[in-house]
Amino acid sequence: QQQRPRAEDYCFYGVEGNAAFTRKLRGLELLLMKRNAAAAASSATTTARPLRHVHFFTETVVASKNGMTTFHLDSASSEGVGSSLLDSHMYAGGELRDVNGVTLTWLLEHTVLQNDVGKPGHL
């Protein structure tokens, strides 16, 4: 019988274009990886790692091509939660920022298809 996947079997990758979230996401990433390190170092088998790996690509958006792209910051919310790549977006009247655009192919190549040491990933 096949063993059920556990939380520590999963990797999590996030993409966020708005720089307002960079510090919070970096802090969360560090916190989760510290918990992973502590759980891995523990001799207790009951200590579960929260995730196998976590990484946020900040000031980065998924786009149709790789390279810098214009990001429209939400002008209606102080948190910028309605920001968009689309200039026709209803909240796109705010500030424009250049962010790194990556394709889904690039994202898969740099996450799922390879691990931290450049070897094939774990599909």
Side-chain angles (χ1 to χ4, degrees), residues 76-87:
S77 163
S78 62
E79 292 85 27
V81 294
S83 300
S84 176
L85 288 174
L86 306 175
D87 57 2

Side-chain angles (χ1 to χ4, degrees), residues 15-28:
V15 178
E16 174 56 58
N18 193 334
F21 299 109
T22 297
R23 184 189 294 185
K24 287 182 182 180
L25 292 173
R26 289 283 176 239
L28 179 59

Side-chain angles (χ1 to χ4, degrees), residues 54 57 70 106:
V54 60
F57 294 91
T70 301
W106 183 96

Side-chain angles (χ1 to χ4, degrees), residues 71-76 82-96:
F71 191 59
H72 302 269
L73 294 178
D74 176 3
S75 60
S83 300
S84 176
L85 288 174
L86 306 175
D87 57 2
S88 61
H89 189 273
M90 61 189 272
Y91 298 127
E95 186 178 345
L96 301 178

Side-chain angles (χ1 to χ4, degrees), residues 28-50:
L28 179 59
E29 183 179 304
L30 288 172
L31 175 70
L32 289 170
M33 291 311 291
K34 283 181 184 178
R35 287 184 182 173
N36 276 355
S42 173
S43 60
T45 57
T46 58
T47 305
R49 295 171 61 174

